[in-house]
Amino acid sequence: MALPYRRAARVTLLPAPEAEPDLSGALCRNVPDPDVFFPEDGDELGVARARRICVKCPVRSACLALALERSEPHGVFGGLDPVERRRLRLSPAGGESAGAA
C-alpha cells in the first residue's frame, strides 16, 4: 500500500535576534546603591564616583557598546556620561553623521 503524498511545509527562516552581551560580571551589580550611576546633572563628583567603579569593570566595553546602541539618555555606562556618549556617537568614528540628532 502506497502512502499518500504530502507536500512539505514551507518554512521561513528569520534572522536570529542579536544576543544581549553577557554583563553578569559587571561590577555595578554588586553596588548597594545603583543611584551611584545616575548622578544629578552637573554632579561631577557623582560622575567621578561611578567612573571609579567602571574603570575596573571587566565588561566595561560591552556595557558602553550597549548604551551606545540603545542611546541611553541618562546615567554613567561604560565609564561615560550621556554627553560623552552622544559625542562619541556623533564623532566620525562613532558611526552616525554629525547632522543626525
Side-chain angles (χ1 to χ4, degrees), residues 49-60:
R49 196 173 309 124
R51 284 189 177 133
R52 280 195 297 275
I53 297 167
C54 292
V55 76
K56 298 180 265 181
C57 186
V59 297
R60 179 180 179 188

Side-chain angles (χ1 to χ4, degrees), residues 8 11 14-15 21 30-32 43 53 55 57-58 61 66 69 74 77 80 86 95-96:
V11 176
L14 300 175
N30 300 319
V31 174
D43 181 3
I53 297 167
V55 76
C57 186
S61 58
L66 189 59
E69 180 183 312
H74 306 288
F77 289 87
L80 299 184
R86 187 167 194 279
E96 284 186 26

Side-chain angles (χ1 to χ4, degrees), residues 2 4 7 15 18 26 31-33 42-43 50 55 58 63-65 74 81 91 99-100:
R7 181 178 284 206
E18 292 196 27
V31 174
D33 182 10
D43 181 3
V55 76
C63 176
L64 177 57
H74 306 288
D81 66 29
S91 73

Side-chain angles (χ1 to χ4, degrees), residues 86-92 94-101:
R86 187 167 194 279
R87 278 190 207 127
L88 185 60
R89 276 196 323 272
L90 296 178
S91 73
E96 284 186 26
S97 66

Side-chain angles (χ1 to χ4, degrees), residues 6-61:
R6 294 186 79 190
R7 181 178 284 206
R10 289 189 180 259
V11 176
T12 303
L13 298 177
L14 300 175
E18 292 196 27
E20 292 282 322
D22 180 14
L23 300 178
S24 60
L27 294 180
C28 60
R29 293 175 61 102
N30 300 319
V31 174
D33 182 10
D35 286 342
V36 166
F37 298 96
F38 295 92
E40 296 291 325
D41 289 341
D43 181 3
E44 290 302 317
L45 287 175
V47 171
R49 196 173 309 124
R51 284 189 177 133
R52 280 195 297 275
I53 297 167
C54 292
V55 76
K56 298 180 265 181
C57 186
V59 297
R60 179 180 179 188
S61 58

